[in-house]
Every structure is written in structure tokens, then in C-alpha cells.
Amino acid sequence: MGKKVGIIIGVLVLLLAAAGGIYYYMTNTPKNKYLLSEKQSMETWGSYFDERFKNEVALQDEMVNESYRGSVKLSAEVSDSLLSSLGVPASMVESTNLVFNAGHDEKNQQSELSFVPTFAGTEIDKFEWTADKDAQYIAAPLFNDKLMVKNADMKKVYERIAGEPAPEDFDPSMLNLNELMASNMTQEEAEEMQYRYLKVVMDSLEDEQFEKGKETTDVFGKKEELNTVTMTLEDADIKRVLKNVGAELKKDEKIKKMFGSSITSVTTKSYEESIDDLLKDIDDEKFGKIVAKNFLDGKTIVKRDINWSGADGKEDNNMLFTMTEKVDDDVQVVAELKSSDQAVESFRLEGTSKGKDTVKDDYTVTSITEGEEFAINMKNDEKLDGNKRTNNIDFTITDQTGETYNAKYEGTLDSDVKNNKQTSKGTISFDVDGEPIKINIDTTTNVKEKLNVKADGAVDLNTLSDAELQELQDSIETNMEMLFSQFGA
């Protein structure tokens, strides 16, 4: 018995040693080292955002599979002197607001989009688009009755209203609110998708396209000697990667559900046909050469250099992207994109986020186009107390002449995961000719709130006679003129 146990232990030790050796070999090859460093970077950034915005992420994940309904109310406050100079009564502005509503129930296939304007204290009938599993419904002050289009009749109704045959590849999903508001993906699903497509890219490449090395580079103002791993892609390699990614996209039902309707809203072709067209176009393009170098501290990327030369087949059309990053409890980032002529076109992002429950963000975006510089600085003092997040954000915009413009956002966001509710109150403040203006933004989102789309009294557009349909179109034009005249008054 003792001898058998000894043999078993010996075999296990050999297997573990072999497994360890294989693991070391895999992670130590340049290609796998590059893959693991990118995976590590994704996980690090993901962990930072998940921890900092854990309540918001939790509610967002709930909204993927649960019904929800949210509203945004916009109103304004303007100084009396500015209103007086414009000849606008203060009471008119104080009693004017706009409310946007949106809701979706994936399981029961119900959706809502609406906005309700209140002008000078008078609430105008809301503009509303709703949908259930069978039809689309539209209500507006432009017509008296709620209008309905059955999903099965969309092509017929389109042809009657347009007065011409529908395109051969007409896709009803581009007019289906349930399709347009189809659920997004959870944070976990997003990470899984990132890893999957990263693997598609890496599987498209050969070991010989990766090389390890060591180099001294600047990291936030300090010279450091770091291990490097470099990926080199020639034109044919880039085309192969893009084709493989496109093939994966074509069969990706989650991506299709998210973006299929958006694609068909701008083209008559289906999602699959649109991907096929992109794949065909790849062969006609000249992508040049990409050399991407990661500087590593262990398995962690601290800096990236990506040089894209001969883009679009033009030897002088080179782009250089560099990014230095440090992500743990705090964040420090410097990212820059430069063209061959840096004075003509470049983009730079630099900033930090420091602290945990009390966070200070300070980021500056600088853009140079045709030699003219434009910069935006954002400073944020953020405090998290339980469910409540308080933000005080200062924006400073500097244009090409050196003139500055300032705006401030002050607001609170309460993400109550336990009660499936999120509310916020915020104010954007800025000056116009020295006079203060405030835009108030109040939001409410309720998760697991059931929608109740009603078809009561809806007029089926497909059942109207040609004369009735023309009468409806004429009345819409008349009511639109009346509505605009009321706003003008």
C-alpha cells in the first residue's frame, strides 16, 4: 500500500512539474506574453471601474435582464437682467421644462420612448412611441388618435406612406422599438466579449510576429529599464486579422442584437450582408504596417508604443500612439496620438484619479488641428457616502485664441441597489456675456418596474383607406403649423 502511494505521489509531482513547465513556456513565449499582458490590462481597468462604480454597475447589469423605466427632466434658470434684455418674462422660463421617458422590458417585449414639453406652465400633449410584441404605437399632438402599425404590416404601411415600393432588403427591425432598445450586456458579458475577440486577434497571428526585448524608456518623467514584447503586423497580417474578426462578428448573435438595428437604420442591407460588404472592402484597402510595443513591469503594461506607418498606402501618412498608465487604487494616464506632422494634427490626454471613497479627478484633453490648439480641462471632487455619490466638476475650455470658457456641474447620484432605484439631481452652470445660466437635470430610474403598453383605441394605419390616410397626413401638416405658431407666440 505504501509503495503504491509513493508511486502515485511521484506521478503527481511529475505531472505538476510538467504543467508548471508548460505554463512557464506558454507565458514566456513572446506571443503569449503579449496576450497575457493585454488580458491583465483589461482586468485591471475593469476592476478599477467595478470597484469605484460598483452600485452603478450593479444596477446597469440588472437593467440588461430586468424591465426598467427612467425619466430625465430638464429645466433652466436665467438671470433677470438677461431675460429682460431678451424681452422674455422670468415666469415663462421658470414654468418651462422638458421630460424624457424611456423604458424597456426584454422578457415581455414592451418599450417606451416619450417626451413631454411644458411651455410657460402649459403641458403640451406628449410625443410617445411605444411597442409591444405585436405592434408599434405613436401618439402626438399632431393627430387626434393613437396610431398603430402591426409589425407584420410594416412593409405595407411604409410603401403606402412613401408612395413607392420598399427597398428589396427592407428590414422591419429598423422601425421596431423593441429591437432598437434591445438589452445591452452585463459587465461580465462585456469582459468575456473582450477576451474572446482578443483571442481571435491573437489566433490570427504567428509566433514569429512577436519579439521579446529590454529597453529604457520614460515612465511619467522617470527613466526605467523594462522588459518589452513587440508585435509587428504587415499589410497582409492586418487584413487577415480584420477578416477573422469580421467572421466572428457575423456569427455573434449578441453583437447583432445590439447593433443590427442601428446598421439597418442607415442601410437597406441586413446585418450579415453589411459585414460581408466590409469583408470585401478589406482586400481593396492598403493598411500599411503596425508595430506595437508593450513595456512590462512583470505582466503589467505600463506603457504602449504603437506606430502605424504607410496608412492608406501613403508612406508619409504615419501615426504614432503612446500611452503610459498606472492603475491600482489610483489612476495616472498620459496618452498621445500624433500624425507625421505633429504641429498639424495631434491629440493628448493627461490626468489622474486619486483616492477611493473621496476621489479627485484631474484630466486635460488637448487637440491640435492645422496648428490650432484646443484644450478642455476637467477637475472633479467626488465623494461616496453609502449609496450617494456627490460630484463637483469644473470644466475649463481654452480655444485657439487663448480665450477660456468655464462651466460647472454640481450634483448627487443615489444608486439604491437594494430597492432597484437610481435618482440624481444636478445643475450645469455657466455665463453668457457675464450673466449666469443654470440647466437643472433631474433623473429617476426604476429597475423591475413593469411597463404597461396599451393598444386601446389605436387606429391601425394599414386599415385606413387611401382617402383617410391622405386626410391624416394633411391634418399632421396643419397641426404641426399650429404647434409651431404656439411656440412662436
Side-chain angles (χ1 to χ4, degrees), residues 87-142:
V88 178
S91 59
M92 178 182 292
V93 175
E94 292 169 357
S95 57
T96 297
N97 62 66
L98 188 60
V99 177
F100 293 89
N101 298 300
H104 182 63
D105 185 341
E106 184 74 12
K107 294 176 183 176
N108 295 308
Q109 283 295 283
Q110 293 197 347
S111 296
E112 172 195 350
L113 275 182
S114 67
F115 69 94
V116 186
T118 297
F119 184 69
T122 301
E123 184 177 298
I124 300 172
D125 290 343
K126 67 180 175 180
F127 296 77
E128 182 181 64
W129 178 9
T130 56
D132 58 24
K133 62 183 179 64
D134 299 315
Q136 311 293 307
Y137 308 92
I138 299 176
L142 302 177

Side-chain angles (χ1 to χ4, degrees), residues 309-459:
S309 58
D312 301 324
K314 301 176 182 178
E315 291 303 322
D316 60 344
N317 189 9
N318 295 352
M319 300 296 293
L320 175 64
F321 174 77
T322 62
M323 180 173 178
T324 309
E325 61 186 68
K326 174 181 175 293
V327 186
D328 40 43
D329 291 337
D330 298 333
V331 170
Q332 185 175 8
V333 174
V334 176
E336 194 163 22
L337 178 66
K338 301 176 183 178
S339 66
S340 302
D341 187 347
Q342 299 173 25
V344 174
E345 186 174 1
S346 67
F347 176 89
R348 180 181 175 88
L349 166 68
E350 182 174 5
T352 58
S353 295
K354 296 182 179 180
K356 194 172 182 182
D357 292 337
T358 299
V359 182
K360 289 186 179 294
D361 299 304
D362 188 350
Y363 289 90
T364 299
V365 174
T366 305
S367 175
I368 298 176
T369 303
E370 299 299 329
E372 295 185 347
E373 186 171 309
F374 181 87
I376 302 175
N377 175 255
M378 184 277 289
K379 288 184 171 68
N380 174 34
D381 286 335
E382 178 178 291
K383 184 176 181 180
L384 183 64
D385 184 7
N387 297 327
K388 184 178 290 187
R389 187 183 304 278
T390 303
N391 291 95
N392 290 283
I393 307 175
D394 290 303
F395 295 95
T396 302
I397 302 172
T398 307
D399 67 15
Q400 60 271 17
T401 67
E403 188 170 355
T404 60
Y405 306 87
N406 299 294
K408 186 179 185 65
Y409 174 81
E410 298 176 287
T412 58
L413 176 67
D414 191 343
S415 302
D416 189 349
V417 180
K418 183 178 180 181
N419 293 302
N420 302 299
K421 186 174 184 178
Q422 186 177 78
T423 58
S424 74
K425 283 186 174 293
T427 301
I428 299 174
S429 307
F430 55 93
D431 290 350
V432 174
D433 296 330
E435 298 292 341
I437 294 178
K438 290 184 177 181
I439 307 295
N440 302 313
I441 308 171
D442 296 342
T443 72
T444 301
T445 301
N446 291 296
V447 185
K448 298 186 179 180
E449 179 175 317
K450 297 298 181 183
L451 273 66
N452 187 20
V453 174
K454 295 182 179 179
D456 300 350
V459 175

